[in-house]
Every structure is written in C-alpha cells, then in structure tokens.
Amino acid sequence: MSTNNLNSEPSRPPLWAAKLLTWLSDPNSREEVQGDLLEMYAYWTKTLGHRKARWRYVLNVFKLLRPFSKQKRSKEYSTTYLFSHDMIRNYFKIALRNLVKNKTYSAINIGGLAAGMAIAVLIGLWIYDEFSFNKYHQRYNHIAKVMQVVTFEGKQYHGEYMPAPLGSELRTNFGGDFKYVVMSSFNSEHIVAYGEKKFTKKGNYLSPEAPEMFALKMIAGTRNGLYDPYSIMLSQSVANVLFGTEDPVNKIVKLDNAMDLKVTGVYEDLPYNTEFRDLTFIAPWDLYVSTQNWVKEAIDNAEWDNNSWQILVQINPNADFELVSKKIKDLKLKNAPTAAFLKPVIFLHPMEKWHLYSGWDSSGNFDGRIQYVWLFGIIGVFVLLLASINFMNLSTARSEKRAKEVGIRKAVGSMRSQLVNQFLSESLVVVLLAFLLSTLLVILLLPVFNELADKKMSFPWAKPMFWVSALGFCLITGLISGSYPAFYLSSFQPVKVLKGTIRQGRFAAVPRKVLVVLQFTVSVTLIIGTTIVYRQIEHAKNRPIGYDRNGLITVNMNTPELRKQYNVLRSSLIETGAVIEMSTSSSPPTQTNSRNAGFQWEGKDPNFKENFGTIAVTHDFGKTVGWQFVEGRDFSRKFSTDSSGMVMNEAAIKYMGFKKPSDMVGKYMKWKGKTFTVVGVIKDMLMDSPFDQVLPTVFMVDYGWANVINIKLNPALPTRQSLDKVEAVFRKINPGGPFDYKFSDQEYAIKFATEERIVKLASIFAVLAIMISCLGLFGLASFTAEQRTKEIGIRKVLGASIPNLWALLSRDFVLLVIVSCLVSTPVAWYFLYGWLQKYQYRTEISWWIFAAAAGGAMVITLLTVSYQAIRVALVDPVKSLKTE
C-alpha cells in the first residue's frame, strides 16, 4: 500500500478527547455537540492541516467542558426560566390542550382517578372518625375503665363488669392514683315522665363525680347536681321533649313510675362518635343502691364474686395507666378466694383504646375495630393506586404518539427537566380536575355512606387541615401517577425519534403488563375476600338456634306494676287471642346476662371448675320460645316440685362429661344451698354470638328474678292487629308506662350488624376496584386496537376471520388476568384463613370461590376487551391499510 493511499484516509480527532467529551457533556445535547465538533474538525483538517486540527479539537473540547460556569448557568436558568410564571402557564396551557385533544383518554383518566380519590376521601373521613372516637371528652386520655381478665380452660376472657366493693377499695387505698372513681350500673332503658308525657329513654346511674369527669357541656344547671340523691340530669334533647321552652331546672320528673326526681342540670347531647351517645339521662348511684336491695346487699356483704357493675376512673395527671394497673392487679384475687381458680387480674383499659381496641382473642391479643381500620385503609390506598396505574399505563402506551413531540422539543433546545415538568403538569391538571369531580361525588355519596357505615360524618368544609391535606393528597397522587410517564417519555433520544427508529422492543410493554396484573390481583383478592365474609355471615345465619323467634317479642319489666301482676297480665294477654303464650325471664332470648360457678352434681370431678350460663324463667318460658326437647320434659305447674326444677341445654351435658342427655335427667344439681332436679334437656338455644360455640346453660324456675317479658304472638292474626291488642292490655295494667317492645328476630339480626356492614362496604369497594381496572383495560384495549389497525387489515386480506382477530387482540389481556388470579388466590387464602380463625363457628374456604372469582374476572375482561377487538375487526381492510 502506497503512502498516498495512507494519507488519503480520513483524519480522526484524538480518541481520549472524544471520550472525555462523551463522559462529561450534557446527555441532552451530547449528540448535537459531537456532530458539530466533527464537522468543524473536518473543516480544520482541510484548511489548517491534520496537526492543527487535532489541537483545535482538544482546545474546543475543554472550552465546552465548563462545569463551574455550567452549574451556575443551570442554577440561574432553572430559577429564572424553568419555573417562571410564563413557563408554568405554558405547561398548563399545553396540558389542557392535550386533554381536550384526546377526549376519550382524558375521560378515562379523570373518571378513574375521581372514583379512586372519592373512595380514598370517604375512607379517610371514616378512619378520622374512628380515631376521633371519645375525644369529645376533654380528659379522655386520663379516663379508663376498670376491667378484669380471667383464665379458664387455657383461654383468656376479658370482662368489664366488676364487683361493687372494688370501687370503695380503689377510693380508700389508692386515692393518690385516682382523681375520680365512678360507679356505674349498666346503660339501660327506663321510663322518664313529666305530667302526661312519658318516654322510654336510655340512661345510667352514676357516681356524682361523673359529669365533671366526662366534662359534660352544661346547658343549664351545674355538673354538681348529682350530689342530691333524688336528682336527675337530662340531655338537651330529652329536656326539650319533656319541657319544651320551659326552664327544666328544679322541675320534678318521675322515673320508672316510682321515683320523683328533681332536674338539677341539662347537658349538651353527646356526639354520635362517643361511647356514651345513648346516655340521655344520669341519676345518682346512691339512689340506685337505695332502691335495689340486691345491690345494697352486695355492697354491705362485700360480695367480691358478684360482677354486675362498671367502674370508671380518672387517674391523676402524674399517674400512669400501666403502673396503676400493676398496683391493683391482684385485688380481686386477694378478696375473692372462690374465684382464685380463674386467676383474675384487674387492669385499667384507657378510654382512648375503648373503641378501636375493645376486643381480645383467647390468647389475650387485641382484636377490635382496629383491624377494620387497617383493612379499609389498605383498600383505600390500593383503589387509588389502581386509578393511578390507569394513568401510567395509558400515558406510556401512547408514548409513540408523543415521541415526535419529545424529539422536536429536544431538537429546538428543550432540556429534559422541562419535559419532565411538562408531563408532571399534565398529571397535576388531571389530578386537580379529578379531585374536583371526586369532591362532588363525596358530597353526593356521603349520606349513603353514613347509613352503610353507621356514621354521622359531614364534609369538613371549614377545616383548614382538610384542605391542606387535600392539596398534599393531590400533589402526591399527581407525582405517583405522572412520575413514571414523565421520566419515561422525556428519556427518548431526539435523533432516533425524528428518524422514526424508536420502536418499542418486546420488553417495552412489561411495566404496563406488571401494572395490569397488580390491578387485577387487588380486584380479584377483594372479590374473594368479600365472598368469603358473606359466606361466613350466611353460615352463621343458617345455624340452628334451638327455638322459634318468629312472632316473639320482648318487653322490659321496668315498673313495679308489671312485676306484681304477672298472672293477671298473662291471662289478659291470652284472652285477647293475639297471644299464644307469655312468660318472664332474667335474660331475653337473644342474650345471656348471667354466668355462675359453684354447682355440684353427682360424679363431678373435684378439680373441675365450671362456668354455666344461668337464667331464671317462669313455667311457661319453654312454650313461649318453642324449646326443642331431646330428653325429659318442660316445666309444668302440674308438678309442685318444678319450683326447684332445672332444664339444661345439650352443651351443658357435654360440658359436664356425660355421654347422653338421659344420664342427667332426674339427677340433682346443687347451687347456692338449693337442690334442683333436672327435668329435661333441650337442643342448644343460641342466645349469644352466632359465631361462637353455645354456652353451657341451665334454666331454673324463679319468678322473683325476672327482668324481661316474653310474648309469643298469634301467627293467625296480622302483626299490627296483635300488637294493638297487646298494647291495650299493657296500658290497662300499667297505665303509667309506655308500651315499648322488641322483636327477637330483629335483635338477633343486630348480632350480624358489624360483619354485614363490613361486607357491604367491601362489596362496593370491590365493584369499584373492578370498574376502575376495567376502565384502564378498556383504554389499553382501545389503544392496542388502534396501534394494530394496519396489521388487522393485512390479516383480513390474508383470510383471517373475525373470531381469529378477536382471539388475537384478547389473548394478551386474558393471560394477564390469569396471572392475576394465580397471584391473588394464595394471598386471599392466607389472609381470609387467618380472619376466620377468630370465629369458633366458621365456614370452610371452598375451592369454587377462587374459581368463581377467576371466572368472573375473566368474563369481565373479555366483555371489556371484546368491544374494541370486534369493532376493529369489522373495519373494512381497505380503510385499515390506508391508516397511518
């Protein structure tokens, strides 16, 4: 090879200088700078020679590499231009133009985000209300409920009813720890009357310090009114009903047709989100003690094993709940030797934990409403995330349509930061419009949501913190929704874009597919969870209850007249023809009010420590509620010995260790010095939680222990007609009291209220999650069909049928949903299996639930995608092939 040929080869600049320029130059302008320098280097070589051209190239490389001046320029540029008023206005102007230009995608994005944000706001308001429970009371962080935990057969049981002597013990020996110790009867219904006005209201007997401890807001009178033993304090609503515009203070009202009490104060109605929202009147504890002999005896005889009252306390400012609990934990163990086998431990349960941490499992772990707060909080986050995913997917899927825009902007000098700001501004515009729409949705849906959630929430217009949170909420949502599209689109290289070589590879759609899988995983998990919760409720509803609750009503025996005239009342009711049978009992058919130990029977293991539900009834109770006997007979007046008779349920027979009911019928049971003869065994009568095992229960004849009247209506007569006849009898025998009754089937239904409320809300959220996911799927399917229009035209020309094209366009989406179902199945099973373990009576998790949820998701996906697939498949191939 000759020298001339060598010299004719093109000259190249120094390699090290070119690499230095590549490493240290701005990536946004690197290609333009390198191209310009190469053109100049060729010119210098031609005019100045090879050596001088290399020197000039190196010199210009160093001139271009000015890190200090560049940093200063960049900083100045960013503050004076990138975020200038004109530039920001330009960002939002372009964002609005793009939204108007692409109406379908804009509607999907704004609609989906609005739905997600509305759910998130509603859930946020619900969570705020849950955490603000009981904060109406100024000293809520110093108030507590005295409770006890006992251990029986290896399981822990928590109770809030305490022995009366414990109150005086706390006052006397622990006065340095407590500012107030308030004794409380249970909140119950009483007749409050003034003149001819008589109403049944819920109230309580409390120690006189209670109004001060609860910091009641007084409308009239003072908080010291209960120091008079014959006084009463009324809520504002009750006072208005009784007295109208009259001043209620010092007026005399009659309580339970027996006691004349002076009104010493009127307090503001307590809000709905407090433990005492039903407290419509307060009477003195001393009055309760003086009128209830059994209470007076329990106090005078220091009955530490009689757990029938509540004790509320307020600790001193320098005291600590845990330290005080340690001091008092053994008080009952020391004073109630008969309960030693239960190992009772006294502790303080702070008011701030009453609502959310109000339950415990058998191991002693908290198991209250806090689990639902976490559940709905997670659902709210995920639903909002689903809506944000729609925005990400549609933005990145449409990247090719905006690629040229990015390329041209970069070619004319736009920096990547400008493009990121542009795309983020578009995201913020979408989010702000969605928030406005979501606010309207929240206002419209809040009344319905309140009814479903058993709340009384209002939209917080006047709370600045809400609007600050809403602004932060919008910014975070905008950044989450717009960050990935902004950084993805702004990364396009202008040379490749403008040459048309920016074709997305086979992995470009992977992020979108992952997000679609996440969407449907959440949605399918919600569907599975809702189905299993619903099945658990139905499983408990269909459980045999051991009695007939149809047409069964209960009336509280809250006046002396009803107690004294039992026989007259019963015969009068039956004579009307509206009543089949009537009886009284110490507990209503839907509740067990008393549990006791101390029973003895033949063959009892000396080490066996029993705990029976104990209910006093009259002879006709079994016929009234429809007992179902498996052995023996019902109580009967024909047998005088039945006054000391006893009926047991099957659970009690098994509990005592007998193999069959006949082993106990005719045998004797001793309790509190009295001998009872077991005359019959009934099928388990479900009186407490339908989700738990039936409590071993004994029923004994005792007319003096009755609290509830049970009435079986005649099914042959219309219910309204029967109730009118029953009411007439009550008003004749008990003219001083209103006729207030409860249907047992409705009281039984209340036991499912929490679970039904949860399943209703979860169902709505699951449906909305699916709708949001399908909305995004519809948008992606629309874009995919548009992107593959020419391919579809070619396939039709080559003979592809409409079903073939439908399958082609639907296949990818169906595969994604299948993956979602495979992921959601173990996730849902893990959480739902753990949730079911807290119920002793629970349903099984069947395989068909997962199959049905997956099948449903598949059908919804095909319906969503098929519209776009079939629409494109029906287009004339001539038109398809003309499409660019």
Side-chain angles (χ1 to χ4, degrees):
M1 185 176 295
S2 65
T3 304
N4 291 335
N5 289 337
L6 286 171
N7 292 337
S8 66
E9 290 182 4
S11 176
R12 295 181 179 179
L15 182 60
W16 66 268
K19 286 185 177 181
L20 186 65
L21 180 64
T22 302
W23 291 338
L24 299 180
S25 62
D26 183 1
N28 293 315
S29 58
R30 182 180 298 151
E31 291 185 3
E32 292 87 342
V33 171
Q34 288 176 330
D36 290 343
L37 269 181
L38 285 174
E39 290 179 5
M40 293 301 296
Y41 180 79
Y43 174 75
W44 291 328
T45 301
K46 186 175 180 180
T47 57
L48 300 175
H50 181 66
R51 178 186 287 268
K52 289 186 178 182
R54 289 172 65 88
W55 277 107
R56 285 210 175 188
Y57 182 87
V58 172
L59 182 62
N60 278 276
V61 164
F62 282 108
K63 285 182 179 181
L64 289 169
L65 301 178
R66 295 177 295 174
F68 299 104
S69 60
K70 178 180 177 181
Q71 183 179 5
K72 181 177 178 182
R73 174 181 171 271
S74 177
K75 183 177 180 181
E76 181 183 357
Y77 183 75
S78 64
T79 55
T80 59
Y81 184 64
L82 284 180
F83 298 103
S84 66
H85 173 75
D86 292 336
M87 201 63 193
I88 292 174
R89 185 176 61 182
N90 183 58
Y91 290 153
F92 285 98
K93 184 185 293 184
I94 295 173
L96 290 172
R97 286 176 180 172
N98 280 320
L99 292 177
V100 174
K101 181 180 178 182
N102 302 282
K103 295 182 179 64
T104 301
Y105 296 108
S106 300
I108 291 173
N109 280 331
I110 294 173
L113 272 176
M117 294 174 81
I119 293 173
V121 171
L122 286 172
I123 291 177
L125 291 175
W126 183 84
I127 291 175
Y128 176 80
D129 187 80
E130 289 290 293
F131 277 107
S132 61
F133 224 84
N134 288 324
K135 289 188 177 180
Y136 172 85
H137 306 287
Q138 295 177 4
R139 307 178 184 95
Y140 81 99
N141 55 342
H142 288 93
I143 297 173
K145 187 185 297 180
V146 182
M147 297 187 67
Q148 62 177 315
V149 55
V150 299
T151 304
F152 185 72
E153 295 183 343
K155 296 181 179 180
Q156 289 189 356
Y157 299 92
H158 293 72
E160 59 182 80
Y161 287 97
M162 310 300 295
L166 178 60
S168 58
E169 179 76 12
L170 296 178
R171 286 195 194 94
T172 305
N173 297 324
F174 299 90
D177 296 308
F178 299 105
K179 184 172 184 179
Y180 300 121
V181 177
V182 173
M183 296 300 299
S184 167
S185 67
F186 43 86
N187 204 34
S188 57
E189 293 181 342
H190 299 266
I191 298 173
V192 182
Y194 176 70
E196 297 300 319
K197 297 178 181 178
K198 298 180 178 67
F199 303 95
T200 299
K201 298 294 181 180
K202 280 191 175 182
N204 206 338
Y205 292 93
L206 297 170
S207 299
E209 302 89 353
E212 184 64 35
M213 184 175 78
F214 293 140
L216 297 181
K217 297 178 181 178
M218 302 304 296
I219 305 299
T222 69
R223 294 174 181 171
N224 298 323
L226 294 182
Y227 285 94
D228 179 351
Y230 292 95
S231 62
I232 190 171
M233 297 179 71
L234 304 176
S235 67
Q236 186 176 9
S237 58
V238 171
N240 290 339
V241 169
L242 290 176
F243 303 105
T245 57
E246 295 182 53
D247 183 5
V249 176
N250 295 324
K251 294 286 194 306
I252 303 299
V253 299
K254 189 177 286 291
L255 187 65
D256 291 335
N257 290 338
M259 296 173 284
D260 291 330
L261 306 177
K262 183 173 66 174
V263 178
T264 55
V266 177
Y267 57 89
E268 180 183 85
D269 286 357
L270 298 175
Y272 201 69
N273 64 339
T274 179
E275 196 84 8
F276 303 99
R277 63 189 182 191
D278 294 329
L279 189 67
T280 59
F281 74 84
I282 307 173
W285 170 260
D286 289 341
L287 174 66
Y288 175 68
V289 174
S290 64
T291 56
Q292 303 290 327
N293 290 331
W294 68 281
V295 180
K296 190 174 185 303
E297 290 175 2
I299 296 174
D300 293 342
N301 299 330
E303 296 179 3
W304 280 84
D305 56 351
N306 187 347
N307 302 302
S308 300
W309 304 275
Q310 288 181 320
I311 302 177
L312 307 171
V313 298
Q314 179 182 325
I315 61 173
N316 284 319
N318 59 344
D320 178 78
F321 287 121
E322 291 188 7
L323 294 178
V324 176
S325 294
K326 289 179 180 178
K327 291 182 181 180
I328 66 175
K329 68 183 183 71
D330 293 327
L331 286 180
K332 185 172 181 182
L333 187 63
K334 293 176 181 178
N335 292 280
T338 56
F341 72 97
L342 294 172
K343 301 176 183 177
V345 175
I346 306 297
F347 68 97
L348 300 181
H349 189 46
M351 178 182 269
E352 57 190 359
K353 291 186 177 181
W354 288 1
H355 185 64
L356 295 179
Y357 301 91
S358 57
W360 291 264
D361 59 21
S362 58
S363 300
N365 300 314
F366 281 119
D367 185 28
R369 290 177 64 90
I370 189 64
Q371 61 180 328
Y372 299 121
V373 172
W374 280 106
L375 171 65
F376 287 124
I378 292 171
I379 288 176
V381 170
F382 272 116
V383 170
L384 184 60
L385 183 62
L386 298 184
S388 299
I389 287 173
N390 284 348
F391 183 88
M392 296 181 195
N393 277 346
L394 292 176
S395 297
T396 54
R398 297 179 61 249
S399 58
E400 287 191 18
K401 285 188 170 292
R402 303 199 66 176
K404 287 186 178 179
E405 174 192 344
V406 173
I408 293 172
R409 283 176 176 273
K410 282 193 172 185
V412 297
S414 289
M415 299 174 63
R416 185 179 184 184
S417 57
Q418 287 179 283
L419 295 171
V420 168
N421 290 338
Q422 172 62 52
F423 292 124
L424 285 178
S425 66
E426 291 183 18
S427 173
L428 287 174
V429 168
V430 170
V431 169
L432 289 173
L433 292 174
F435 179 73
L436 293 176
L437 181 57
S438 72
T439 301
L440 178 61
L441 289 174
V442 169
I443 295 170
L444 294 175
L445 295 176
L446 194 55
V448 179
F449 185 78
N450 275 333
E451 185 175 351
L452 285 173
D454 189 28
K455 294 286 185 182
K456 290 187 178 179
M457 301 179 296
S458 58
F459 196 86
W461 294 104
K463 293 185 178 180
M465 193 61 194
F466 170 78
W467 295 107
V468 172
S469 301
L471 179 61
F473 178 62
C474 289
L475 289 174
I476 292 172
T477 305
L479 291 174
I480 292 174
S481 304
S483 57
Y484 176 62
F487 289 103
Y488 175 74
L489 293 172
S490 64
S491 66
F492 291 163
Q493 296 296 327
V495 174
K496 293 181 179 180
V497 169
L498 296 177
K499 286 183 178 180
T501 59
I502 183 166
R503 292 292 172 188
Q504 298 178 8
R506 62 177 183 171
F507 296 111
V510 169
R512 288 199 299 275
K513 291 180 178 179
V514 170
L515 293 175
V516 169
V517 168
L518 177 60
Q519 276 186 312
F520 274 89
T521 297
V522 173
S523 301
V524 174
T525 301
L526 282 174
I527 291 173
I528 294 171
T530 303
T531 304
I532 291 176
V533 174
Y534 175 77
R535 275 178 54 80
Q536 169 66 7
I537 294 173
E538 291 302 307
H539 180 67
K541 281 185 175 180
N542 296 329
R543 180 180 183 181
I545 63 172
Y547 69 101
D548 184 12
R549 62 177 181 266
N550 295 319
L552 184 64
I553 65 172
T554 59
V555 180
N556 285 334
M557 294 183 68
N558 47 20
T559 61
E561 289 82 359
L562 292 176
R563 295 179 183 275
K564 294 175 182 177
Q565 304 190 58
Y566 169 80
N567 290 326
V568 175
L569 178 64
R570 179 174 176 272
S571 59
S572 299
L573 287 173
I574 294 176
E575 285 174 4
T576 64
V579 173
I580 295 176
E581 192 54 86
M582 190 212 91
S583 63
T584 63
S585 59
S586 59
S587 296
T590 55
Q591 187 177 335
T592 304
N593 287 338
S594 177
R595 301 184 184 190
N596 287 280
F599 290 85
Q600 299 295 326
W601 62 90
E602 184 181 350
K604 177 185 177 183
D605 184 346
N607 297 320
F608 183 74
K609 303 300 182 182
E610 73 286 347
N611 187 23
F612 287 104
T614 314
I615 299 177
V617 299
T618 52
H619 285 85
D620 312 295
F621 181 78
K623 293 187 286 290
T624 305
V625 301
W627 269 347
Q628 301 169 17
F629 281 84
V630 295
E631 193 71 34
R633 62 174 176 80
D634 198 353
F635 297 121
S636 174
R637 290 186 175 85
K638 295 178 182 179
F639 302 96
S640 59
T641 55
D642 277 7
S643 59
S644 60
M646 178 180 287
V647 171
M648 294 181 165
N649 63 2
E650 288 181 291
I653 297 297
K654 295 175 184 176
Y655 182 61
M656 296 164 70
F658 293 103
K659 294 182 179 179
K660 52 184 184 295
S662 59
D663 293 341
M664 194 58 197
V665 173
K667 300 293 178 63
Y668 300 103
M669 288 271 287
K670 292 183 178 180
W671 183 56
K672 289 191 174 181
K674 185 175 180 179
T675 301
F676 297 87
T677 303
V678 178
V679 298
V681 177
I682 60 171
K683 287 186 177 181
D684 288 336
M685 184 177 174
L686 185 59
M687 303 179 68
D688 297 297
S689 172
F691 301 105
D692 294 336
Q693 298 297 327
V694 174
L695 178 70
T697 307
V698 296
F699 301 85
M700 301 163 292
V701 175
D702 190 335
Y703 282 70
W705 194 5
N707 295 314
V708 179
I709 300 171
N710 309 289
I711 301 172
K712 182 70 173 182
L713 299 179
N714 189 345
L717 296 179
T719 302
R720 186 65 263 170
Q721 182 180 342
S722 296
L723 289 173
D724 289 341
K725 292 184 177 182
V726 172
E727 183 177 5
V729 172
F730 268 84
R731 293 202 179 279
K732 180 180 179 182
I733 295 177
N734 183 34
F739 174 60
D740 293 313
Y741 58 88
K742 296 176 182 178
F743 281 96
S744 292
D745 55 353
Q746 294 177 356
E747 291 298 297
Y748 185 76
I750 292 174
K751 297 177 183 293
F752 300 93
T754 299
E755 283 75 12
E756 286 186 327
R757 193 173 298 122
I758 296 301
V759 80
K760 284 179 182 178
L761 292 174
S763 299
I764 294 171
F765 296 148
V767 169
L768 289 173
I770 282 286
M771 288 177 60
I772 292 171
S773 299
C774 289
L775 201 61
L777 202 63
F778 181 84
L780 283 178
S782 175
F783 177 77
T784 302
E786 180 184 340
Q787 193 179 39
R788 302 178 72 174
T789 301
K790 186 172 289 187
E791 174 193 346
I792 292 169
I794 295 172
R795 287 180 180 274
K796 288 189 71 173
V797 170
L798 295 176
S801 63
I802 291 178
N804 292 143
L805 296 173
W806 171 78
L808 174 71
L809 293 172
S810 304
R811 182 178 59 206
D812 288 345
F813 295 107
V814 170
L815 288 175
L816 294 179
V817 175
I818 290 174
V819 173
S820 299
C821 294
L822 293 175
V823 174
S824 64
T825 296
V827 172
W829 183 91
Y830 174 79
F831 286 106
L832 270 300
Y833 178 80
W835 177 76
L836 284 174
Q837 297 313 299
K838 75 175 187 175
Y839 297 106
Q840 296 180 22
Y841 189 81
R842 53 182 177 266
T843 187
E844 294 181 353
I845 301 179
S846 304
W847 64 269
W848 65 263
I849 298 175
F850 301 96
M858 206 71 66
V859 170
I860 293 172
T861 301
L862 288 174
L863 291 174
T864 304
V865 174
S866 294
Y867 171 78
Q868 294 293 349
I870 295 173
R871 183 180 66 84
V872 176
L874 290 173
V875 174
D876 188 340
V878 175
K879 293 182 179 180
S880 299
L881 294 174
K882 285 181 179 180
T883 302
E884 283 295 336

